[in-house]
Amino acid sequence: MATPRRALIVLNAGLGNWIIAAPVIRQLLDQQPGFRYSLIASTGPQATLPEPWRLPGEIEPSPPALWRRFSPDHHEAVLSHLHTHGLDLLINLRKEDPALDGNYFAFRDKARNAGVECWDLHELGAASQARPIGDQICDLLRLHGVPLLPSPPAWLASERTTATAPVIGLFLGASKGVKRWSTRSWVDAVHRIAAAHPDDTIQLTTGTSTDERRQLTLVLAECADLPSVSAVELPGRQALFDWLAGLTGLVTLDTAAAHLAAALGCPTVGLYFSTLGSVWGPRAAPGLFETLQSGIGTRCRAMKVDGTCGRLALGCPAPCRRGVTAEAVATSLGRVLTQQPTPR
């Protein structure tokens, strides 16, 4: 890749995937100052992202987020975008089970016939499926001659702030119901954490959906006997970023909060039920992130080789949520908090 390229970069949906890919793309741009690209993702335009998350480089107009699924109805539109903007390379970083990615394979054949080079994670083979997604992205680029270092942990550590008093955050929300923990489990975890850290403030927050907000209300009601516990409103991405940057520690589900906290160097416990933390967990500094993985989830027949549940978007009673206990969460949090970096 000696000559700067013009590429269409494709990411999975979700802010967490942006945080995984961003430091890798930054390295690519540092090495190729003339690199131009379009981005298919669902993070929204660059202008809606807090400044530290924005990528440098020349960005062509971003195409619609749904193009990342490569529906046959979109093939001609994607090809037209490539040709209109002079893009001769497709870098597909969207991780999908090979058996379910036929739409992309069909598009790849059309693109290659139209003179567009295609790079994708499928090139790495089955042996790479269980590796962390950030490492897979680096492996793919190295395969094509881009000399990347491992994706750096805590790449947003310079944005970390120091609270005047210890604050432990619990992010209860997740985009899919099968990724969420039960209300009873959260209540148990809050009580255990409050007992173990009596001098700390505990702040609870969640996502924006009705179900997430309802659960937060129920958890707060069950924790009304704990004066150290309160809710915090986060009206947007910048508010989430600022909150995470000032926390002493965090407990969260498989969501963007886990990736942002790891990027900031915040001690974090991540709960994984219907996804595999070994694949979708963040790259974190040693000792600052503990993955609690549901063994029920790993054994479930619906778990795909790409590390996600086949019923993630279809709904499921999610027995995998019982595979992580409140006691384990409190214990893991105690360990990562001992790794709290010294404030600068």
Side-chain angles (χ1 to χ4, degrees), residues 267-330:
T268 300
V269 176
L271 284 57
Y272 292 81
F273 311 131
S274 57
T275 55
L276 298 183
S278 58
V279 175
W280 295 105
R283 188 175 185 85
L288 290 183
F289 192 94
E290 284 206 9
T291 298
L292 292 182
Q293 178 70 60
S294 169
I296 299 171
T298 60
R299 296 190 299 271
C300 180
R301 288 179 295 177
M303 184 64 74
K304 299 187 296 180
V305 296
D306 70 341
T308 63
C309 174
R311 300 191 60 82
L312 200 62
L314 302 177
C316 176
C320 54
R321 290 182 289 189
R322 298 197 299 270
V324 175
T325 67
E327 180 181 11
V329 168

Side-chain angles (χ1 to χ4, degrees), residues 27-338:
Q27 282 197 67
L28 174 61
L29 295 173
D30 287 344
Q31 294 181 27
Q32 299 288 332
F35 191 87
R36 288 176 51 199
Y37 62 99
S38 282
L39 184 70
I40 301 180
S42 59
T43 57
Q46 284 272 90
T48 71
L49 297 170
E51 183 64 36
W53 307 356
R54 298 180 194 175
L55 293 173
E58 188 174 355
I59 304 175
E60 300 288 351
S62 289
L66 287 179
W67 283 7
R68 71 185 185 278
R69 297 179 181 174
F70 294 100
S71 165
D73 293 340
H74 297 156
H75 286 183
E76 294 307 317
V78 177
L79 286 172
S80 176
H81 179 87
L82 286 162
H83 291 308
T84 298
H85 296 286
L87 307 172
D88 61 355
L89 172 64
L90 175 77
I91 304 178
N92 184 10
L93 305 180
R94 179 174 182 258
K95 185 168 172 59
E96 178 56 277
D97 188 315
L100 301 175
D101 215 11
N103 286 343
Y104 167 68
F105 294 135
F107 172 83
R108 185 174 67 181
D109 289 341
K110 291 181 181 179
R112 287 173 172 173
N113 288 336
V116 176
E117 187 177 358
C118 296
W119 304 351
D120 56 71
L121 297 177
H122 298 303
E123 298 177 60
L124 301 176
S128 293
Q129 286 286 337
R131 282 171 51 75
I133 179 62
D135 290 352
Q136 291 186 49
I137 292 172
C138 287
D139 289 346
L140 175 64
L141 296 177
R142 290 193 198 102
L143 181 65
H144 287 279
V146 183
L148 293 178
L149 297 172
S151 180
W155 59 280
L156 292 173
S158 62
E159 304 296 321
R160 191 130 158 76
T161 58
T162 304
T164 55
V167 179
I168 296 172
L170 277 68
F171 194 96
L172 279 58
S175 58
K176 306 295 183 184
V178 293
K179 286 187 174 184
R180 299 177 198 147
W181 214 14
S182 71
T183 298
R184 176 47 50 194
S185 295
W186 277 119
V187 170
D188 189 3
V190 172
H191 277 85
R192 288 175 182 271
I193 292 169
H197 306 277
D199 297 326
D200 294 6
T201 296
I202 300 173
Q203 294 182 344
L204 312 185
T205 194
T206 191
T208 59
S209 74
T210 300
D211 288 345
E212 290 168 292
R213 302 296 300 174
R214 182 183 300 117
Q215 184 184 49
L216 175 60
T217 299
L218 292 173
V219 172
L220 285 170
E222 291 289 329
C223 297
D225 58 318
L226 301 174
S228 63
V229 176
S230 62
V232 59
E233 294 291 335
L234 302 176
R237 292 172 175 171
Q238 185 65 58
L240 172 63
F241 184 87
D242 292 342
W243 180 67
L244 292 171
L247 292 180
T248 307
L250 174 71
V251 177
T252 182
L253 305 173
D254 176 14
T255 186
H259 297 282
L260 274 175
L264 286 160
C266 175
T268 300
V269 176
L271 284 57
Y272 292 81
F273 311 131
S274 57
T275 55
L276 298 183
S278 58
V279 175
W280 295 105
R283 188 175 185 85
L288 290 183
F289 192 94
E290 284 206 9
T291 298
L292 292 182
Q293 178 70 60
S294 169
I296 299 171
T298 60
R299 296 190 299 271
C300 180
R301 288 179 295 177
M303 184 64 74
K304 299 187 296 180
V305 296
D306 70 341
T308 63
C309 174
R311 300 191 60 82
L312 200 62
L314 302 177
C316 176
C320 54
R321 290 182 289 189
R322 298 197 299 270
V324 175
T325 67
E327 180 181 11
V329 168
T331 300
S332 288
L333 180 64
R335 281 196 295 266
V336 297
L337 287 178
T338 65

Side-chain angles (χ1 to χ4, degrees), residues 5-17:
R5 302 293 298 272
R6 299 181 177 187
L8 179 65
I9 301 175
V10 182
L11 295 178
N12 283 76
L15 188 57
N17 294 291

